[in-house]
Amino acid sequence: MAFDRPTPVSFHAPTVLAVGLPPDTLTRAGVVLEPSGVGLRESNLLDLRSDSAQYRPLVLLVDAELYDFDPEAFDMVAKDVGAKLGVAGSPREAEVTLGQLLAAVARKSAFPPPPPSSADAATDKWDFSEVVAAVAAAERRK
């Protein structure tokens, strides 16, 4: 009797996928991410779709000038893999953007799932009062 082997599942640590960032911005992003345990990987335009599918990043961080070239394409890639999209034009913008996006990802687990009948369920939108209540609850737990 032959048993089918299960399909191997590869596990990747949480990742930020950086596209087109200059070296100083990439370095700053790495410094911001280091304490969180989130990895930083670089990609280029040719490999962006395959890298995004392979690593399933939490955040897709794109250089501002590159993003302005074709915003819809980057929005689509981020949506396809369920990543937050960040755009940074400088090292400081990368630091602030990553801080905000990682905080949003961390808070998301505190939110109740949207009702299945909600028209906004697929877009991950939350009512402002839900956000305020979830943040207050998370602060009380600390």
Side-chain angles (χ1 to χ4, degrees), residues 32-33 92-105 107:
V32 169
L33 293 173
R92 178 70 181 140
E93 283 182 22
E95 181 179 343
V96 171
T97 300
L98 283 174
Q100 292 172 342
L101 290 173
L102 291 176
V105 168
R107 283 193 310 264

Side-chain angles (χ1 to χ4, degrees), residues 29-40:
V31 169
V32 169
L33 293 173
E34 187 174 3
S36 70
V38 175
L40 178 64

Side-chain angles (χ1 to χ4, degrees), residues 33-101:
L33 293 173
E34 187 174 3
S36 70
V38 175
L40 178 64
R41 292 195 173 268
E42 283 186 88
S43 187
N44 57 51
L45 288 177
L46 294 175
D47 299 325
L48 179 58
R49 285 207 179 268
S50 62
D51 286 349
S52 296
Q54 179 181 359
Y55 297 113
R56 297 298 224 192
L58 293 173
V59 176
L60 181 63
L61 186 62
V62 182
D63 179 68
E65 287 183 23
L66 189 59
Y67 179 78
D68 288 343
F69 179 71
D70 192 358
E72 293 84 18
F74 291 108
D75 293 343
M76 187 182 308
V77 170
K79 183 179 178 182
D80 287 349
V81 297
K84 300 286 185 187
L85 179 65
V87 179
S90 70
R92 178 70 181 140
E93 283 182 22
E95 181 179 343
V96 171
T97 300
L98 283 174
Q100 292 172 342
L101 290 173

